[in-house]
Amino acid sequence: MADIRVGSKRIGAGEPCFIVGEIGINHNGDMDISMALIDLAVSAGCDAVKFQKRTVDVVYTAEELAKPRENPFGPTNGDLKRGLEFGETQYQAIDAHCRTKGIAWFASCWDEASVDFIDQYQVPCYKIGSASMTDDGLLRYTREKAGSRPIIMATGMSTLEQVDHAVEVIGKDNLVLLHTCSAYPANYDELNLRVIPAMMERYGIPVGYSGHETGIASSVAAVAIGACMVERHITLDRSMWGSDQAASVGPSGLNLLVKDIRLVEASMGNPNKRLLEREIPVMQKLRRKGA
């Protein structure tokens, strides 16, 4: 597999799992929450944080935006979408804060104008969200804009045939796929983690996992079976207002997730069975027969 790098970190077989704390829209339109979530990801040991960027009037129809939906920003769905969308002032602050803290950041861009907007910050990679995976025009535009930078593409809410098509459109160069179940939150019997090694064999490129379940065991298991990357939504408190909070991990969960992933990596070793020096005194004490 090709050498894929996000900033200074490599992604792929034999490399430490690349762990992303997805902030998404869990900031609830509040910059103080955004900064606190970045700090949480840094303190837990994440490799990057991810936001999302949308041109609201392009991504959603006028009818969808006009639908009644009570929220902190007003009575319609449009009020909510616009209230959660950050602009240049906010992203300048996000970029500066991440640089100060030494953590990479990037965003899933839902339309071509958002790709252009995010590109001004020279992000180390691009993300295609599951909702955008069937948008051939956006895939081609993102590939053109990314150049040699990696593209990370989630594959939730999609058939295998749709993934095949998306991979063909975007190309395998510097591509990381993420197996995903796009239920919020997802049930454990819906996760189907065995898709991860199957996709690795099918496409011959790195495959990671984007989880929307409530716990962490399955995300750690994904690493044990070959996921090169784990992306989880993060929150300050799962009881906070917002549609993604329930499918997120809080501070204690994120710290435990990163710790357990690193412990699993240290435990995997290699296929060579060996007798450890530290086992010899135990062997001499307990074994009755045999050399």
Side-chain angles (χ1 to χ4, degrees), residues 72-271:
F73 307 102
T76 70
N77 195 33
D79 293 324
L80 173 62
K81 301 304 183 185
R82 294 185 179 94
L84 292 174
E85 200 61 47
F86 283 161
E88 190 166 344
T89 299
Q90 291 88 356
Y91 274 106
Q92 285 177 349
I94 287 166
D95 184 60
H97 193 65
C98 287
R99 290 179 187 277
T100 298
K101 294 292 184 175
I103 190 169
W105 76 273
F106 58 101
S108 52
C109 300
W110 290 45
D111 58 273
E112 290 81 353
S114 292
V115 174
D116 291 339
F117 177 90
I118 291 297
D119 193 61
Q120 68 183 301
Y121 301 102
Q122 299 180 326
V123 290
C125 62
Y126 272 102
K127 171 75 185 291
I128 302 290
S130 295
S132 304
M133 201 200 75
T134 55
D135 185 339
D136 289 3
L138 180 61
L139 267 56
R140 293 188 181 99
Y141 193 84
T142 303
R143 171 59 78 189
E144 180 181 355
K145 184 67 69 171
S148 61
R149 288 173 291 178
I151 295 174
I152 299 162
M153 183 163 66
T155 61
M157 63 183 89
S158 305
T159 66
L160 186 60
E161 290 74 21
Q162 288 173 320
V163 179
D164 285 346
H165 177 76
V167 171
E168 182 180 359
V169 169
I170 206 165
K172 293 182 180 180
D173 291 343
N174 284 316
L175 178 64
V176 179
L177 294 179
L178 298 183
H179 171 56
T180 312
C181 174
S182 294
Y184 289 79
N187 298 323
Y188 281 91
D189 60 0
E190 297 173 320
L191 299 181
N192 206 20
L193 295 181
R194 287 193 175 95
V195 168
I196 294 169
M199 290 176 70
M200 292 169 62
E201 182 176 357
R202 185 178 185 89
Y203 302 113
I205 59 178
V207 177
Y209 177 62
S210 179
H212 301 116
E213 65 273 25
T214 55
I216 66 170
S218 46
S219 294
V220 177
V223 177
I225 61 173
C228 65
M229 173 178 170
V230 166
E231 176 186 87
R232 290 296 303 268
H233 288 260
I234 62 175
T235 181
L236 300 179
D237 186 336
R238 292 180 62 229
S239 67
M240 290 174 66
W241 182 90
S243 58
D244 293 348
Q245 307 288 355
S248 304
V249 291
S252 60
L254 182 61
N255 279 284
L256 188 59
L257 173 66
V258 175
K259 176 184 175 183
D260 283 358
I261 285 175
R262 299 307 179 209
L263 287 174
V264 164
E265 289 176 328
S267 303
M268 294 301 290
N270 58 63

